[in-house]
Amino acid sequence: MILTQYRHKYNRMKLSIELVPASSWYDNVRSNVSVATWARIQRQTADQAGHRCEICGRQGVRHPVEAHEVWAYDDAGGVQRLLRLIALCPDCHGVKHFGRALAQGTQRRLLAWFAYVNGLTAGEALLAIKAAFGVHKQRSSRVWTLDLSVLELRYGIRLDARGIETT
């Protein structure tokens, strides 16, 4: 793999790039719950983190933190399972969704932030990004099933069989 010689650094990265498979774009917690429920979840996530980024400890300028979905992928079974939500500053959140940074033209700034937070050189950061896009390409070659069951366990949100909030 492309990262073999740097594996010791990448295994200790505080900030990683998490590119969502194409079949799951716009199919997430926010799209499956009401606006009021999403606001409550965001508030709870921020409150639990003391309104500070859980990775770098900073706060954003316009708003302190954003809620980010942490997923586990069962590559054999095609299930994308929500583990929890974490509070991230806008820069760390931007790195998590680096594909959006490319579309918005913020990739240079976020690449520098990714390298800084992880103590990587620019070249090492680029290798990590290439590896993340490689995983993304593989995962985007299939359709994923979302498992949002943690929402009921952690937040008391009732979901129907499709994972949509019920009232």
Side-chain angles (χ1 to χ4, degrees):
M1 179 169 182
I2 196 167
L3 301 177
T4 304
Q5 65 192 36
Y6 301 109
R7 185 155 315 281
H8 65 284
K9 283 190 177 185
Y10 297 113
N11 288 338
R12 295 191 318 256
M13 285 194 314
K14 295 186 334 184
L15 177 57
S16 62
I17 297 165
E18 300 170 7
L19 303 170
V20 177
S23 71
S24 299
W25 289 354
Y26 310 110
D27 190 14
N28 52 32
V29 175
R30 187 176 192 164
S31 65
N32 287 18
V33 300
S34 70
V35 172
T37 297
W38 178 246
R40 177 175 61 87
I41 292 171
Q42 285 182 296
R43 215 172 22 259
Q44 282 180 284
T45 302
D47 289 347
Q48 289 170 351
H51 298 270
R52 294 221 165 264
C53 180
E54 293 184 47
I55 292 175
C56 72
R58 292 185 332 150
Q59 293 180 317
V61 175
R62 286 187 22 234
H63 51 276
V65 292
E66 302 168 345
H68 173 71
E69 300 162 349
V70 178
W71 299 97
Y73 293 91
D74 173 0
D75 290 303
V79 176
Q80 179 181 340
R81 183 171 48 92
L82 180 67
L83 298 177
R84 67 187 193 104
L85 283 96
I86 61 173
L88 298 180
C89 71
D91 286 341
C92 285
H93 200 203
V95 168
K96 291 285 187 184
H97 300 286
F98 201 81
R100 183 187 299 149
L102 291 170
Q104 295 175 337
T106 58
Q107 69 272 16
R108 286 185 189 269
R109 181 176 56 80
L110 293 175
L111 172 65
W113 182 246
F114 173 68
Y116 172 76
V117 169
N118 289 308
L120 303 173
T121 67
E124 291 169 337
L126 282 171
L127 286 176
I129 289 169
K130 283 183 182 180
F133 274 96
V135 170
H136 174 261
K137 183 177 179 181
Q138 288 176 328
R139 288 185 174 153
S140 290
S141 68
R142 70 178 313 158
V143 175
W144 290 82
T145 301
L146 290 186
D147 175 354
L148 301 174
S149 58
V150 74
L151 293 178
E152 190 160 356
L153 298 169
R154 186 168 278 192
Y155 300 101
I157 300 168
R158 293 187 178 272
L159 303 171
D160 66 16
R162 298 169 297 142
I164 307 293
E165 180 181 19
T166 61
T167 53

